[in-house]
Amino acid sequence: MKIVGVRTFGGPEVLEILEAPEPHAGRGEIRIRVRAAAVSPTDTVLRSGAQDMGSMEPPYIPGMDAAGVVDEVGDGARWRIGDEVMALALPREGRRGAYAQYLVAPADSVARIPGGIGLEAASTLPMNGLTAVQTLEKLALPEGKVLAVTGAAGTLGNYLVQLAKEAGLTVVADAADKDADLVSALGADYVVERGDDVAERILELFPEGVDAVADAAVMNGLAARAVRDAGGFATYRGWDGDPGRGVRVHPIRVVQEYHSGAKLDRLRALAEADLLSPRIADVMPAERAAEAHRRLEAGGLRGRIVLTF
């Protein structure tokens, strides 16, 4: 099968089109003929060598988001050949990522794609959608509480804002001037200017602090200042700082959602109800993966670049 692989770590130029043996579905697994794989910052971490690959041997295959068609079903897997599905991939611990023609996945890591949006848009949902779900579960804010979201114009931020509103929360979101209308359209109750002083802008609205911050912009201590005493702070890159004041830090790790097909199916339903809005920045053939990584690392994308196979 064709893959986009990494034989040596480095910049985007190390991404290569390679041939690899086809995987096959075992018991409780399905094989997906991948049609679309979203490109995310996590993929650049693997490519650069900053991710621990354990005992796996190269070539490594990046990608945590896949959408495609079931073409092989293992014993005990309740899927049918021809089903259009999306899945969270896990390019570690002996498994391969989504930048490949075929992906083998546990049956409980998969959900049908939302009707009417297509495979490319569906491929942007699994990782960031499940990350947002885990965030809200760990923060456990009751209806009516206040959540601030940094990086609200990004893909994770989009899903955080929309899922928080669906959960009945008041949302404060940051945005540059050019993205303010987009973030408002997602349902944010308040939009503040992004930047290193975002906490001060949030505190102007809520002087005692908000109940929790979901720090999708990875601002860490700069954003944590906006949390009230004994509030919650969700972090996405392993920040081990202590904001003090009894603020509880919640590390978010989407790998814990690998078998969360039921949660992924709920995201499908929300997308079908127009309560969740996948966004595509561009669609490119897999052969242009290096270009996709360069554009992602240059910043400014609104939505995901999707590679097609």
Side-chain angles (χ1 to χ4, degrees), residues 97-237:
Y99 291 12
Q101 283 184 306
Y102 295 99
L103 175 70
V104 169
D108 61 0
S109 70
V110 176
R112 295 183 186 277
I113 70 167
I117 74 168
L119 291 166
E120 289 87 357
S123 75
T124 73
L125 266 173
M127 184 183 70
N128 287 126
L130 290 171
T131 300
V133 168
Q134 185 183 118
T135 299
L136 295 177
E137 287 178 347
K138 288 192 173 183
L139 292 173
L141 296 177
E143 186 175 347
K145 295 295 185 180
V146 182
L147 174 70
V149 178
T150 68
T155 303
L156 173 57
N158 280 202
Y159 294 155
L160 283 165
V161 171
Q162 291 186 298
L163 290 175
K165 290 307 301 177
E166 196 271 336
L169 302 180
T170 297
V171 176
V172 185
D174 71 348
D177 285 343
K178 64 179 182 178
D179 295 318
D181 288 345
L182 181 154
V183 172
S184 292
L186 295 170
D189 300 280
Y190 305 91
V191 179
V192 299
E193 180 71 20
R194 62 175 293 187
D196 288 348
D197 60 349
V198 70
E200 283 66 38
R201 297 179 186 276
I202 295 169
L203 290 168
E204 289 174 3
L205 296 170
F206 296 91
E208 294 184 3
V210 294
D211 297 296
V213 169
D215 185 28
V218 196
M219 300 180 69
N220 299 326
L222 293 175
R225 297 201 304 267
V227 181
R228 64 166 173 80
D229 293 356
F233 184 78
T235 178
Y236 301 93
R237 294 286 178 88

Side-chain angles (χ1 to χ4, degrees), residues 60-90:
Y60 308 114
I61 304 176
M64 294 188 70
D65 292 285
V69 180
V70 176
D71 82 332
E72 194 174 277
V73 179
D75 291 343
R78 297 182 179 180
W79 290 95
R80 295 182 178 181
I81 291 174
D83 286 342
E84 292 187 324
V85 297
M86 55 185 175
L88 179 68
L90 194 62

Side-chain angles (χ1 to χ4, degrees), residues 34-49:
V34 176
R35 298 296 185 186
V39 177
S40 74
T42 304
D43 305 344
T44 69
V45 173
L46 183 156
R47 187 210 71 223
S48 68

